[in-house]
Amino acid sequence: PSARRLTLEAKAASALNHPNIVTVYEVIRHEDTVVMAMELIEGHSLRALLQTRLDAHRMAEIGMQMAQALSAAHAAGILHCDIKPENILLRPDGYVKILDFGLAHNTARESAVYSPDVLQGTLRYMSPEQARGEPLTGATDIFSFGLTLYELAAGRHPFWAESPFDTLHTILSDARPAPPSSFNAKIPAALDAVILRMLEKHPAARPDAAQIVRELAEIRQAAARKPERSWYGMIAAALLLCFLVLGYFVWRGSARRSSSEFADLRIQPLTAQAGWEGDPAISPDGQSVAFTWSERLDSPKEIYVKRIGGDEPVKLTNSPSGDIGTPVWSPDGTRIAFARHFPSSGAIYSIPISSIPGSGGEQKIVDVAQVDLSAAIDWSPDGTELAFTDAAPNVNRRVIYLYNLRTGAKRQLTFPQDGLWGDWDPKFSPNGTTIAFKRVSGFWADDIYLVSTTGSGLRRITFDQRGIWGHAWTADGKSLIVSGQRSGTVFSIWRYAIADPARPERIAQGEIDAITPTAGRHTRRLAWVNQLWDFNIYRAPASGGGTPSRLIASTARDQDMVLSRSGRIAFISDRSGTREIWIANNDGSRQVQVTNFNGPPLARPEWSGDGRRLAFEARLNGKISVVAIDCDPVELHCGRPQRLVTGMPAEAPGWSSDGKFIYFASDRDGHFQIWRQAVSGGRPVQITHQGGYLSRESPDGKWLYFTGAQKAGLWRIPTAASARTPAAAELVIGTPYNVQTDGWDLSGGQIVFIDRPSESRPAAIRAYNLATRKVRLIRMLNDVFLDRGDIGVAISPDERSILYTQLDRSGANVIVAESLH
């Protein structure tokens, strides 16, 4: 329960980005303890001020900051539910910070109702409706806020009694408190009135937080104008007022849902069609969206244009051969540019929006050495240049180029240093003087940079080294809209203010990925793609008969399952917002999350032979490594992650049969080979020399079976020879079967594998008998099949059943968001 409360507090506080609310950075697991990391706040709670008899100016100043914080929380649908002096900190510089959102409720996701049998909160600071277990609103926080302000003004609780329960009884009665000024002569009548209205017994009679901000601002202003204040005091008050006003407007520019541009968004899908939509681009006039679409993920994509609120999309391209990339509008709105990739070449083309598909209206603009269809291109605002990603000369890195449409000159703009993957997705600022791009240091280890179109003034905007899947400038050039994994492994839409990028605003987040955002250059419209992958884990008889049953499922991605010899299941799921390791009983019950990496992608878990250790690959700061956790043999609990391999990239782990060695794949020399290292440490030894990737040692320890990243089929080598000298690999499963590289499992007597589809037959799950060398069919896989490690298979220790991953729901839709202001 304490861990759940801590996680609830972290989610509630991190959803609010406000200067008067404590900032929560992350939730981590340290050994057996869940830990929340938040900003360090110097100062003391308001409890220390309760006997100081503050004047009206100081009272109004503190109250206004509290009201601003609650106004932001209530606007986001979050109720604090435990406002009291101990939860309000005052810094030495006068800044107020509200903390402890452990009892918070999100009114958009849950019913904010308390059970009358279980009181949650602090008895002396509960509202009447909270104590009675009635539905809660923002007025509940206002009552508790009023109690705190009264106590700060009067030096005593308005409904004081000897015990907390007696105090609560008085709150529930018809008792009316005396005005705070009767205990503190410094309190003006206007402040008396505000506080007493906050303490009205009926919720509808209380003012909301925004109204309190306005009234306290007037009280503070009136107090600052009193003639008895010294000139120094008046100057100090004026300066403080200036700083507070400045701080208010800074907050307005950075708080969640606080910018005028995106304060209130109306969000709707662009079309109602099925299939895969992607790569939206809003036209310069903001009235149309160009996007790619294919009926199936493995079908060729075409570019379509749809008028917002208009009729059906209009097909623009015809691609009998060659894949197509991200579209971008010309500044005058008459043409669309995009990249095409052919088997041995690539180029950027443009096409008139009035073109008829297949009419030959495409024009080649410039050849591209290595076309990456996932990389965005952009057209300069004056229409004279194109920005795109291509391979750097003589090195294995991607860089940004500018191509002059008038002169035909191509100029390299960025020069990433050694060790980086390179630069992707250039986007011109609205004034055309700056390029925003993504610099990639490893797998889903990205950050946004800015550079002048002259190549000078490189500036880093983000410092997360998390996955970024598209970005766009806002129309005013003051912010960037970014799809990123900042708060987990699910992609969300964020706004980064260029002037203050350290405090991003979350615009959209859900249980599915929100990717490839785009913004209108002259409008407040945004568009992005909501992409759904719903993988679930099924069990089926290994004999090939019977009906499969869904064993582990959620609305998110549950995949990469493995079975221990005792039957426990380990799998990867992003149901918590990040890809984490979960374990469950053999029947799928008691599913428990056992890692809390909160961001770095995890993949390919593998149990040791005794079922006490679980190895998997994790990309830490973009660098891939093999990590292991020790797990209790009885309880569903695992310990602290420990890195097994250091000093070189390592992935696709596999255990030796005795659990003393770990096998892994590494491409440190440019090609994937299989290596082996003692679990206790020591120097890794290269095992394969002709390529290898995923490996499994036979239960008797005599053979190492493996597949290769570029090596077709499933092979084996003797373990005794492999450690001393290179051994010739023996092909175990080859043509006509096509073994998926990471879609197979080895038991005592057979290999169960996914047979990749061919032109003559669909994908299937098959079994290879090690003794007879015969292959038999277990199940056909007739649905859309993807070779991305998502469709895995595992066999039970008794070889009677198999587990496999099935894609139950998938699709991608363009979402259009428009400000209502």
Side-chain angles (χ1 to χ4, degrees):
S2 60
R4 182 182 180 278
R5 182 182 185 275
L6 197 73
T7 303
L8 178 65
E9 176 177 352
K11 288 183 177 180
S14 61
L16 302 167
N17 195 351
H18 190 279
N20 297 120
I21 295 176
V22 65
T23 300
V24 172
Y25 294 114
E26 63 179 339
V27 174
I28 59 177
R29 183 182 291 274
H30 176 68
E31 298 178 350
D32 296 334
T33 305
V34 180
V35 182
M36 181 168 64
M38 67 183 79
E39 67 173 310
L40 174 65
I41 302 170
E42 303 287 353
H44 49 77
S45 77
L46 289 189
R47 179 64 65 188
L49 294 179
L50 294 187
Q51 303 300 323
T52 56
R53 296 295 196 274
L54 300 180
D55 59 25
H57 187 275
R58 188 83 187 281
M59 278 283 306
E61 177 189 322
I62 293 172
M64 197 172 95
Q65 293 186 60
M66 293 174 61
Q68 287 173 346
L70 289 177
S71 180
H74 295 170
I78 292 177
L79 311 180
H80 187 284
C81 297
D82 197 21
I83 295 294
K84 57 184 177 181
E86 287 77 8
N87 286 339
I88 313 297
L89 295 187
L90 186 65
R91 296 192 328 200
D93 59 1
Y95 242 87
V96 168
K97 288 280 188 175
I98 296 181
L99 63 153
D100 195 356
F101 280 76
L103 297 182
H105 279 270
N106 189 318
T107 57
R109 292 199 307 265
E110 56 188 305
S111 175
V113 179
Y114 279 84
S115 167
D117 299 324
V118 182
L119 291 180
Q120 300 181 42
T122 303
L123 296 181
R124 293 192 190 273
Y125 295 92
M126 281 187 179
S127 67
E129 63 272 18
Q130 188 175 3
R132 290 192 294 262
E134 297 173 352
L136 304 185
T137 65
T140 295
D141 284 343
I142 298 302
F143 189 91
S144 302
F145 179 17
L147 292 174
T148 302
L149 273 190
Y150 188 104
E151 203 165 358
L152 193 62
R156 55 169 291 168
H157 195 286
F159 302 102
W160 176 259
E162 287 300 322
S163 73
F165 280 101
D166 288 338
T167 301
L168 184 59
H169 177 75
T170 307
I171 289 174
L172 289 168
S173 71
D174 294 331
R176 298 285 173 175
S181 60
S182 61
F183 304 98
N184 183 359
K186 297 179 181 180
I187 302 300
L191 186 54
D192 269 344
V194 173
I195 294 174
L196 292 177
R197 282 170 45 233
M198 295 167 69
L199 295 176
E200 288 287 346
K201 299 299 179 75
H202 196 283
R206 302 169 203 153
D208 61 24
Q211 186 177 351
I212 294 170
V213 171
R214 293 191 295 270
E215 295 186 12
L216 291 180
E218 293 176 359
I219 293 170
R220 188 187 60 178
Q221 222 171 18
R225 290 195 297 264
K226 285 190 174 181
E228 63 266 24
R229 296 179 66 94
S230 69
W231 280 104
Y232 289 110
M234 292 177 68
I235 292 172
L239 288 175
L240 180 59
L241 177 61
C242 289
F243 280 118
L244 287 174
V245 172
L246 177 61
Y248 174 76
F249 283 109
V250 169
W251 162 66
R252 284 289 301 236
S254 63
R256 181 183 185 267
R257 286 286 193 270
S258 61
S259 72
S260 59
E261 190 170 4
F262 303 114
D264 192 5
L265 289 176
R266 180 177 61 194
I267 299 175
Q268 60 184 9
L270 179 68
T271 74
Q273 61 191 21
W276 292 84
E277 299 172 3
D279 309 311
I282 298 177
S283 62
D285 63 5
Q287 300 304 308
S288 300
V289 177
F291 60 98
T292 59
W293 181 82
S294 61
E295 183 178 2
R296 297 165 59 96
L297 188 63
D298 54 357
S299 302
K301 294 190 296 185
E302 303 290 356
I303 294 177
Y304 289 75
V305 175
K306 184 180 186 300
R307 192 166 182 83
I308 297 174
D311 297 329
E312 292 297 311
V314 176
K315 185 179 179 184
L316 195 62
T317 60
N318 187 39
S319 306
S321 63
D323 294 327
I324 204 164
T326 304
V328 61
W329 292 81
S330 62
D332 61 7
T334 62
R335 302 185 71 85
I336 287 176
F338 57 94
R340 277 195 185 279
H341 179 264
F342 298 98
S344 60
S345 63
I348 294 176
Y349 293 79
S350 75
I351 188 171
I353 63 168
S354 58
S355 177
I356 300 174
S359 63
E362 295 183 12
Q363 295 179 357
K364 185 166 79 170
I365 298 176
V366 58
D367 289 314
V368 179
Q370 294 184 15
V371 169
D372 184 342
L373 296 180
S374 67
I377 62 177
D378 202 19
W379 214 312
S380 66
D382 62 5
T384 62
E385 290 185 303
L386 282 177
F388 59 93
T389 300
D390 200 359
N394 305 318
V395 293
N396 187 26
R397 286 193 297 275
R398 296 300 177 97
V399 300
I400 305 299
Y401 285 94
L402 295 181
Y403 177 77
N404 192 297
L405 294 166
R406 295 174 179 170
T407 66
K410 179 181 175 183
R411 173 167 59 94
Q412 184 176 339
L413 183 67
T414 64
F415 297 85
Q417 62 266 37
D418 292 341
L420 299 178
W421 289 13
D423 301 334
W424 270 261
D425 300 344
K427 295 294 182 70
F428 283 97
S429 61
N431 62 9
T433 62
T434 304
I435 296 281
F437 65 93
K438 176 178 75 172
R439 177 155 286 179
V440 181
S441 57
F443 182 84
W444 286 137
D446 313 326
D447 278 301
I448 297 293
Y449 284 74
L450 303 181
V451 66
S452 167
T453 51
T454 64
S456 63
L458 185 68
R459 178 189 172 193
R460 188 173 180 177
I461 296 297
T462 69
F463 293 83
D464 301 318
Q465 282 211 325
R466 297 284 188 95
I468 292 175
W469 201 335
H471 59 276
W473 291 87
T474 56
D476 59 9
K478 296 180 179 180
S479 302
L480 286 168
I481 307 299
V482 180
S483 167
Q485 294 177 314
R486 189 173 188 272
S487 58
T489 53
V490 176
F491 286 88
S492 308
I493 304 296
W494 299 78
R495 183 182 70 89
Y496 288 81
I498 300 300
D500 184 21
R503 301 177 65 85
E505 167 196 0
R506 185 162 49 208
I507 293 176
Q509 180 180 26
E511 294 182 348
I512 61 178
D513 293 319
I515 62 173
T516 60
T518 182
R521 281 185 171 169
H522 305 293
T523 70
R524 292 180 176 176
R525 276 185 172 143
L526 301 178
W528 62 82
V529 170
N530 277 350
Q531 181 172 275
L532 171 67
W533 299 92
D534 181 12
F535 288 98
N536 296 302
I537 297 171
Y538 284 75
R539 169 173 282 159
S543 62
T547 302
S549 59
R550 191 157 68 170
L551 187 67
I552 296 174
S554 70
T555 57
R557 289 165 282 209
D558 302 308
Q559 55 198 114
D560 283 7
M561 65 283 146
V562 287
L563 282 156
S564 70
R565 290 182 183 175
S566 63
R568 284 193 300 173
I569 304 169
F571 62 99
I572 292 179
S573 177
D574 61 3
R575 62 180 72 179
S576 65
T578 61
R579 286 176 63 86
E580 304 288 356
I581 304 289
W582 293 64
I583 58 177
N585 290 328
N586 181 54
D587 59 359
S589 63
R590 294 187 62 203
Q591 299 168 25
V592 177
Q593 181 179 332
V594 294
T595 65
N596 285 279
F597 281 83
N598 193 32
L602 312 180
R604 300 183 179 90
E606 184 66 20
W607 286 107
S608 61
D610 60 7
R612 292 175 177 268
R613 304 197 80 185
L614 189 65
F616 53 92
E617 65 182 55
R619 297 184 183 271
L620 309 174
N621 297 319
K623 308 300 182 183
I624 193 163
S625 183
V626 170
V627 178
I629 52 178
D630 293 325
C631 298
D632 190 288
V634 179
E635 298 296 328
L636 297 178
H637 171 76
C638 299
R640 183 178 181 180
Q642 296 179 328
R643 191 183 301 217
L644 294 183
V645 182
T646 60
M648 62 189 296
E651 54 191 282
W655 295 92
S656 62
S657 57
D658 59 9
K660 296 181 180 180
F661 294 89
I662 192 78
Y663 293 94
F664 61 91
S666 179
D667 62 347
R668 76 171 189 176
D669 298 323
H671 300 282
F672 276 107
Q673 303 289 349
I674 295 172
W675 296 67
R676 187 176 74 176
Q677 175 187 295
V679 173
S680 59
R683 183 180 178 181
V685 176
Q686 186 173 338
I687 301 300
T688 64
H689 296 266
Q690 300 299 318
Y693 189 70
L694 187 72
S695 59
R696 296 287 181 265
E697 192 176 282
S698 60
D700 59 11
K702 295 181 178 181
W703 295 95
L704 182 70
Y705 293 83
F706 66 93
T707 51
Q710 286 85 36
K711 189 181 182 74
L714 190 146
W715 303 72
R716 73 175 184 176
I717 53 176
T719 56
S722 62
R724 298 194 301 270
T725 58
E730 173 189 344
L731 180 64
V732 178
I733 306 175
T735 307
Y737 306 110
N738 185 4
V739 181
Q740 181 173 304
T741 302
D742 52 0
W744 59 280
D745 194 18
L746 171 67
S747 69
Q750 61 183 328
I751 296 172
V752 174
F753 66 96
I754 291 178
D755 183 19
R756 296 281 303 148
S758 65
E759 294 183 358
S760 59
R761 67 177 189 272
I765 301 176
R766 303 181 189 273
Y768 174 87
N769 188 295
L770 294 173
T772 65
R773 299 189 177 186
K774 300 292 185 181
V775 175
R776 63 181 177 86
L777 175 67
I778 296 179
R779 297 201 64 78
M780 302 297 293
L781 299 172
N782 294 317
D783 295 329
V784 175
F785 192 82
L786 310 170
D787 187 11
R788 29 177 286 156
D790 294 317
I791 309 295
V793 66
I795 187 167
S796 63
D798 61 8
E799 302 186 37
R800 294 182 179 180
S801 62
I802 61 168
L803 304 184
Y804 65 97
T805 312
Q806 180 169 301
L807 180 61
D808 286 339
R809 295 184 302 150
S810 64
N813 294 96
V814 174
I815 302 298
V816 176
E818 184 174 9
S819 174
L820 299 179
H821 294 290

